[in-house]
Amino acid sequence: MDLVEGNRTKAPTVSQAARFAFLQSAASRNWLLQFGDIGTAFLNAPLAAREKGAIYARQPQGGILGLGPRQLLKVTASVYGLNEAPLAWYECFAEYLIGAGWTRSVLDPCLFMLRRRGTLVGQLIIHVDDCLCAGEGKEFEQAIRGLRERFE
């Protein structure tokens, strides 16, 4: 999306209050923290439809095997550098978490909780492509395995 259109360029980032609440909750439960950096995160999100048409890019220096040196690449996924990429990635990740049974905090869109029969068993905060999670039990471990399988 072009900057002048600008309505899809801001992705939420975790607030200081949510970060402190997450850490206090984990410490109170004596949960170990797990850090994650999602490799090529933006490529997991679909490219939003663009009113002004497709985006094309030059090949990286050295080219791409099988392509002529002057061939252009059609961008078909959100990539780092696109204005809408951070929000597209956040929406992709949040959609996965919610589909996997996590609930989004009403106080901060970057804080997610995992519950079993009403009891908190895990928490996760996301800041762009970095996440921090903590929890315990079979459901939490399965949820983390699912995350690792879905995202690099």
Side-chain angles (χ1 to χ4, degrees), residues 13-132:
T13 56
V14 67
S15 68
Q16 184 176 20
R19 192 170 41 248
F20 288 149
F22 168 90
L23 292 170
Q24 181 61 59
S25 177
S28 295
R29 291 170 171 82
N30 203 27
W31 287 347
L32 295 176
L33 300 178
Q34 299 180 42
F35 296 91
D37 177 54
I38 297 146
T40 61
F42 292 172
L43 291 176
N44 287 285
L47 185 63
R50 299 175 54 84
E51 284 184 25
K52 296 183 179 178
I55 301 174
Y56 293 89
R58 292 188 181 118
Q59 294 179 47
Q61 192 172 19
I64 296 176
L65 187 63
L67 296 182
R70 296 182 53 94
Q71 280 183 279
L72 293 177
L73 306 172
K74 184 176 182 180
V75 177
T76 59
S78 287
V79 293
Y80 182 80
L82 289 178
N83 297 324
E84 68 267 24
L87 179 57
W89 156 245
Y90 167 80
E91 289 172 343
C92 172
F93 192 69
E95 181 180 311
Y96 170 82
L97 289 174
I98 291 165
W102 296 80
T103 56
R104 185 178 1 220
S105 169
V106 297
L107 301 176
D108 191 298
C110 295
L111 171 62
F112 294 84
M113 285 122 343
L114 185 65
R115 290 184 173 84
R116 181 193 69 224
R117 288 181 237 122
T119 301
L120 185 67
V121 297
Q123 299 180 106
L124 180 145
I125 53 175
I126 182 168
H127 187 84
V128 189
D129 63 345
D130 297 316
C131 63
L132 178 61

